[in-house]
Amino acid sequence: MVKTAFSIRHARPGDAEQITRVHDASWRSAYRGVIPGAELERMIARRGPNWWHSAIVRGTGLLVLDFDDDIVGYSTYGRNRVPSMPYSGEIFEIYLTPEQQGLGFGRRLFNATRRELAEHGYLSTIVWALADNDKALAFYRSLGGQTIRRAEERFGSDMLTRVAFGFVSAPVR
């Protein structure tokens, strides 16, 4: 019998290289064909190991999912950035490597991030996804997210629609 272990924990400065690897692979998988190619590569290049190391050291809300001694997912979170919306917390990003998607890790990371937000007093949560990212839309709907707003955002020369999902119930334990 083969056993593998996973854990969800706060990111440490030494995690920057592995988070970069997850970020790059997951963004290319999620956004190729959605965000214009040159713009996508520019966005990915901005988030190298130095960027992630700095985010960790600054105390950015950042959880990582370790699976079999490798980081295969991460989430970033904090106070809702749109004060006019009645949600206190926000999950800014939640990504897994393409190989780990569809195995239940995303749900676990999402729930752990919601619990982390609740520990800081943020009991309701908002999360945004691009309208053309069908996997993300289905994921947030499967978790009980309610579509609460749509907005346009420029990516290079393209305008893309973002969808906000709201979660008002207590985070899953």
Side-chain angles (χ1 to χ4, degrees):
M1 178 200 264
V2 175
K3 282 190 167 188
T4 56
F6 81 92
S7 66
I8 297 171
R9 61 174 174 77
H10 291 99
R12 299 184 290 253
D15 295 333
E17 290 279 344
Q18 286 193 58
I19 296 170
T20 300
R21 181 184 48 76
V22 173
H23 172 266
D24 294 1
S26 62
W27 276 49
R28 284 189 179 100
S29 174
Y31 301 122
R32 183 168 281 138
V34 175
I35 296 174
E39 180 66 12
L40 175 60
E41 289 304 317
R42 187 186 66 73
M43 293 170 73
I44 289 171
R46 286 193 328 226
R47 297 261 195 106
N50 290 337
W51 191 94
W52 287 106
H53 183 269
S54 177
I56 295 164
V57 170
R58 281 191 324 265
T60 297
L62 179 54
L63 295 178
V64 296
L65 188 142
D66 277 318
F67 178 71
D68 214 15
D69 296 324
D70 281 323
I71 293 174
V72 298
Y74 73 90
S75 65
T76 61
Y77 57 91
R79 181 179 49 82
N80 175 14
R81 297 174 288 185
V82 184
S84 65
M85 297 182 72
Y87 295 85
S88 54
E90 183 174 351
I91 297 176
F92 307 129
E93 298 178 272
I94 183 167
Y95 291 102
L96 296 171
T97 58
E99 303 80 26
Q100 303 305 325
Q101 294 175 14
L103 303 174
F105 291 128
R107 178 178 297 272
R108 290 174 188 232
L109 184 57
F110 179 85
N111 289 334
T113 307
R114 295 251 358 254
R115 285 191 300 273
E116 187 71 20
L117 283 164
E119 287 176 16
H120 290 90
Y122 304 128
L123 300 179
S124 60
T125 307
I126 188 171
V127 62
W128 292 87
L130 288 177
D132 291 337
N133 186 342
D134 294 332
K135 278 182 166 178
L137 300 181
F139 175 68
Y140 295 125
R141 287 184 183 122
S142 76
L143 294 169
Q146 300 297 311
T147 302
I148 55 171
R149 185 175 285 178
R150 291 180 170 270
E152 300 295 312
E153 184 173 346
R154 181 169 300 286
F155 291 87
S157 61
D158 292 2
M159 289 298 286
L160 301 178
T161 301
R162 297 183 307 144
V163 178
F165 290 90
F167 298 84
V168 293
S169 61
V172 176
R173 288 275 166 220

